[in-house]
Each structure stands twice: as structure tokens, then as C-alpha cells.
């Protein structure tokens, strides 16, 4: 019998390693294997057209729809996975995710967009499409309608069966965290450094409360009240928008192209124009700066990186089987 060659041994080892990696990925993202393109091809073939039409109406009504919907998707996936649990209303016996302190700033335009899209889908295909999938599609459409990349959305998520405010603390990235802390949050959700940099471009649209960055303007550290990584002119501008902290005031995340989902976000970072501390950190940290420069210099590279990252985000914590169902209305359990 011929002895296996070195190359065949290496190939066999590579297959074993690949199998282990695939298995580990499946464990990290349970239910993700159930997702696929054109999931509703036979049960609701026009679902993408229906959702897109609803989102377009909301975007035309107010540009705040874009940032609000995208942020809603992020907050949903980072807490208990992409299962639409963030959409559930609180009841006397349960404080839901949306009412946790970290979610209080989620704008109504995002919820309204999903509610409108779900109602349109239910009218055409009752009891067929999950709220989690409607949110995923609406997010893609909001991004592409504002100049961002269009990407294929994997579908087949079920809606979660629980929503608790107590599940939120520690699950979301915070504006004043260190790079190591941010990376740890992303790693806990099966995401890596490249995902952190790419997905941060969601801050290309939307608004932020002054309270999220006021410490960079007035109380950064003893003897240095203003964060030195802020462009001085930008710092003065922000101080005019947030006098004495101005906790409840809202400021555009991207002053250069606020209505466009684009890679201007990264060029802002290069100029000291990141609004949140976690934004500018992407440029001041040597580990992530090269990727910021790359995405700032190429729209094509940015579009590809963001599309790949948000598809990976959409696989986090997906519910399948008995772990979920399809809600008739997104804000209440069946």
C-alpha cells in the first residue's frame, strides 16, 4: 500500500482544521447556519420589494430614518442576538430592552420604519416573515438609499421570545471605552477588529446627544479640559452646540455629509473630527489606524468592508427552532 504523501497529509490536516473552525463559528453564532439568501422565495417572494417601498416612504418623510434604523439593528443584534427583542414594549411585569438606560436614546423613527414595513409585509404574507428579518432588510435599504452599499441580506431569523432590560448592560460598545474594551465587546459577539472599524461607519449618519461626548469638551482630564485628539476648530464648534455640556442637545455625527452613508466618516477621523471618543480612537490607536486610512482612501474598499461586516453582524445570536417564532406585531409577543 502506498504511503500517504506529505502534501496529502497537509491537505488532510487543513480539512480537519477547517472543520474545527467551521464548528467553532457555528457554536459562536447558533442558528446562523439556518440563514440563506432568498429564504422567502416560495412563501413571500416580494418581501424585499415590500420592505423597500415602506422604507423609501419613511426616508422621504425624514432623513432621520436612516441613522435611527441602522442604530436599531445594531442595538438589537448586540443584545441577545438579531431577534427583534429590542422592538418589544415594556409591560407592568417586565421592563423590556428598549427601556434600558443604554437604549433610551434610540429614536422613534427607527421603530416607526420597522412597524410600517412589517404591516405592509403582513398584509401580503401574513404570519410568514419575522420582525427580525424585516429589521435586517430595512437596515440594508436605509443604508443603500442614503448612498451606502447595497448588499444581499441573509434571511431566516426567528423573533426572540424574551426581552429584558437587565440583559443590556455591558453588551453594547460605549463611547468612552478603551480599544481593548471595545475589542472585547465585539469578540464576545463573534466579531473582530476589522468588524469594529467597518461597522463604526454607521456613525456616518444620525445624531448623538451632547452627553455622549461632553467630557471631551469640558472635563477630559485635570489641566487639559479638551481632548487633544479633537481638531481645535471642531472642538469650538461642538462647544457652541453643547454649551456647559448641553446634555440633551443633538449634534450630527458627520458634519461634512450628514445625509450620506459614506467613507467621509474615516476622513473626518484623519482630521481629528471624530465625534465620539470611540470614533477618534480608531485613528489614534496604531492597531486600527491603517484600516481607517485604507477605507478613507477608497470608496470601493469601504463599501466592501462594511457590507461584509454587517452581514457577519446579522448572523449574531440568530434564533431558530423552538428558540423563536414569527410575531404578528413587532412590539408585542404573540
Amino acid at each position: 500500500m502506498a504511503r500517504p504523501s506529505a502534501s496529502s497529509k497537509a491537505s488532510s490536516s487543513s480539512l480537519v482544521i477547517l472543520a474545527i473552525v467551521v464548528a467553532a463559528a457555528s457554536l459562536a453564532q447558533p442558528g446562523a447556519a439556518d440563514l440563506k439568501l432568498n429564504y422567502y422565495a416560495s412563501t413571500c417572494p416580494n418581501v424585499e420589494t415590500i420592505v423597500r417601498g415602506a422604507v423609501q416612504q419613511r426616508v422621504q418623510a425624514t432623513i432621520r430614518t436612516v441613522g435611527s434604523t441602522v442604530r436599531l439593528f445594531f442595538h438589537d443584534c448586540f443584545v441577545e442576538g438579531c431577534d427583534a427583542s429590542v422592538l418589544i414594549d415594556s409591560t407592568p411585569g417586565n421592563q423590556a430592552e428598549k427601556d434600558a438606560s443604554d437604549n433610551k436614546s434610540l429614536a422613534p423613527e427607527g421603530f416607526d420604519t420597522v412597524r410600517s414595513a412589517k404591516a405592509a409585509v403582513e398584509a401580503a404574507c401574513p404570519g410568514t416573515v419575522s420582525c427580525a428579518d424585516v429589521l435586517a432588510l430595512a437596515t440594508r435599504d436605509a443604508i443603500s438609499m442614503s448612498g451606502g452599499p447595497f448588499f444581499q441580506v441573509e434571511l431566516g431569523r426567528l423573533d426572540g421570545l424574551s426581552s429584558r432590560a437587565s440583559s443590556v448592560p455591558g453588551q453594547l460598545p460605549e463611547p468612552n471605552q478603551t480599544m481593548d474594551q471595545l475589542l472585547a465587546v465585539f469578540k464576545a459577539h463573534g466579531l473582530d477588529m476589522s468588524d469594529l472599524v467597518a461597522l463604526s461607519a454607521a456613525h456616518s449618519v444620525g445624531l448623538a446627544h451632547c452627553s455622549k461626548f461632553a467630557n471631551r469638551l469640558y472635563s477630559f482630564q485635570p489641566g487639559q479640559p479638551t481632548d487633544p485628539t479633537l481638531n481645535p476648530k471642531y472642538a469650538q464648534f461642538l462647544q457652541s452646540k453643547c454649551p456647559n455640556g448641553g446634555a440633551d442637545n443633538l449634534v450630527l455625527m458627520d458634519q461634512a455629509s450628514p445625509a450620506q452613508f459614506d467613507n467621509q466618516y474615516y476622513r473626518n477621523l484623519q482630521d481629528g473630527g471624530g465625534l465620539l471618543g470611540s470614533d477618534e480612537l480608531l485613528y489614534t490607536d496604531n492597531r486600527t489606524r491603517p484600516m481607517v486610512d485604507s477605507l478613507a482612501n477608497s470608496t470601493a474598499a469601504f463599501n466592501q468592508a462594511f457590507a461584509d461586516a454587517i452581514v457577519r453582524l446579522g448572523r449574531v445570536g440568530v434564533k431558530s427552532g423552538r428558540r423563536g417564532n414569527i410575531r404578528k406585531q413587532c412590539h408585542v409577543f404573540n
Side-chain angles (χ1 to χ4, degrees), residues 315-332:
R315 297 169 181 162
V316 172
V318 170
K319 304 298 188 294
S320 60
R322 295 182 179 179
R323 299 175 66 235
N325 61 17
I326 295 175
R327 286 185 219 137
K328 296 176 183 177
Q329 299 182 77
C330 294
H331 66 288
V332 293

Side-chain angles (χ1 to χ4, degrees), residues 1 3 9 11 18 39 41 49 53 77 96 107 121 136 144 172 191 194-195 226 256 263 278 289 309 320 331-332:
M1 181 179 295
R3 184 176 298 176
K9 287 182 179 179
S11 177
L18 178 60
Y39 180 86
T49 301
C77 292
V121 171
S144 64
L172 295 163
L191 303 170
S194 64
D195 296 315
T226 304
N263 64 339
S278 55
R289 184 171 186 165
S320 60
H331 66 288
V332 293

Side-chain angles (χ1 to χ4, degrees), residues 70-109:
V70 174
R71 191 158 179 255
L72 191 61
F73 181 63
F74 276 56
H75 279 237
D76 182 47
C77 292
F78 267 87
V79 181
E80 301 295 339
C82 308
D83 64 354
S85 53
V86 74
L87 304 176
I88 291 291
D89 287 342
S90 293
T91 64
N94 177 62
Q95 186 182 32
E97 282 179 31
K98 69 190 299 185
D99 290 321
S101 58
D102 286 345
N103 283 334
K104 287 287 190 179
S105 60
L106 290 174
E109 288 83 359

Side-chain angles (χ1 to χ4, degrees), residues 164-179:
R164 299 181 299 274
S166 59
S167 300
V168 178
Q171 298 302 306
L172 295 163
E174 300 290 344
N176 296 315
Q177 287 180 321
T178 65
M179 179 59 71

Side-chain angles (χ1 to χ4, degrees), residues 173-175 177-187 196 278 281-282:
E174 300 290 344
Q177 287 180 321
T178 65
M179 179 59 71
D180 287 340
Q181 290 171 328
L182 291 170
L183 290 173
V185 171
F186 273 69
K187 183 178 180 180
L196 166 62
S278 55
L281 184 61
L282 298 179

